[in-house]
Amino acid sequence: INEQSFMQARNLITLFQNGEHQKLEYWREWHDLVLTLSQRAIQEHPKDVHYHFLLARFADAAMSAVPEDGKIAEDAFHSAIALSEKRQQLYYSYARFLLVQNRSDDAVEVLKKVISFDEEIGEGHWFLGLHLFLDRGETDEGAKMIQRAFNVKTPYKLVQPQEGLVAARVLDQLGSA
């Protein structure tokens, strides 16, 4: 069951993210099966953060098609964070979930909290800076956060080409300030 919940959730998450689930006439049944498998895995392993996080990510991906999954996702994020209070990836994913929900202030608080765990890790600065710079129009504060992401003991490493474009915009912003 545990391996099945992981594999089925992973596959369906991809379909939801790409909007491809709509091409399958049985997507809702598959969704319900994944929910059942995930909830059963949590019942069998209630202290294993992995299963809570998997359910949170699955429900988060599915909520555009199944709006009631938003509550399931939020509850699963809370239980995962309660089980592993300093695991940064949980907070980053939860912040993204909050942003999709148009809960920007809540997402900012979550990102500030994760930064407070270790201010010398650049990833939190990067994500908060991106949100401030691109989404909220707080370009000065966002640019400073993004710059900080590269000037800490464990700097953020750009992953995708688009990130380089953002970094260039930030350097331009800082150069003209």
Side-chain angles (χ1 to χ4, degrees), residues 114-145:
V114 76
I115 289 169
S116 75
F117 296 153
D118 188 341
E119 294 200 14
E120 290 299 317
I121 296 175
E123 196 168 10
H125 298 285
W126 171 258
F127 288 127
L128 179 56
L130 276 182
H131 176 56
L132 296 174
F133 191 87
L134 297 174
D135 299 331
R136 289 175 62 136
E138 297 175 23
T139 55
D140 290 340
E141 186 63 27
K144 290 175 189 170
M145 276 290 187

Side-chain angles (χ1 to χ4, degrees), residues 9-146:
R10 183 191 63 197
N11 292 337
L12 199 46
I13 286 170
T14 301
L15 293 175
F16 279 121
Q17 289 173 335
N18 296 330
E20 298 290 316
H21 68 284
Q22 297 171 351
K23 295 180 181 178
L24 302 171
E25 58 187 69
Y26 56 87
W27 73 264
R28 183 58 194 242
E29 290 83 2
W30 193 7
H31 163 275
D32 294 348
L33 173 65
V34 170
L35 269 184
T36 300
L37 290 172
S38 297
Q39 290 166 337
R40 190 176 308 164
I42 289 171
Q43 286 175 344
E44 291 177 8
H45 307 282
K47 296 197 182 293
D48 189 334
V49 68
H50 171 77
Y51 295 112
H52 294 267
F53 186 45
L54 183 63
L55 177 59
R57 289 188 53 234
F58 172 73
D60 180 11
M63 74 181 175
S64 62
V66 185
E68 58 268 25
D69 280 6
K71 171 123 177 59
I72 294 169
E74 181 136 22
D75 291 346
F77 276 120
H78 285 289
S79 62
I81 288 169
L83 288 169
S84 187
E85 293 180 0
K86 297 229 175 169
R87 187 172 296 183
Q88 296 169 342
Q89 187 58 44
L90 300 174
Y91 290 88
Y92 299 140
S93 293
Y94 183 47
R96 282 191 293 273
F97 166 81
L98 293 169
L99 290 172
V100 169
Q101 300 287 315
N102 293 317
R103 294 167 55 192
S104 176
D105 291 342
D106 293 336
V108 167
E109 290 307 310
V110 167
L111 291 169
K112 285 180 178 178
K113 182 173 184 172
V114 76
I115 289 169
S116 75
F117 296 153
D118 188 341
E119 294 200 14
E120 290 299 317
I121 296 175
E123 196 168 10
H125 298 285
W126 171 258
F127 288 127
L128 179 56
L130 276 182
H131 176 56
L132 296 174
F133 191 87
L134 297 174
D135 299 331
R136 289 175 62 136
E138 297 175 23
T139 55
D140 290 340
E141 186 63 27
K144 290 175 189 170
M145 276 290 187
I146 290 171

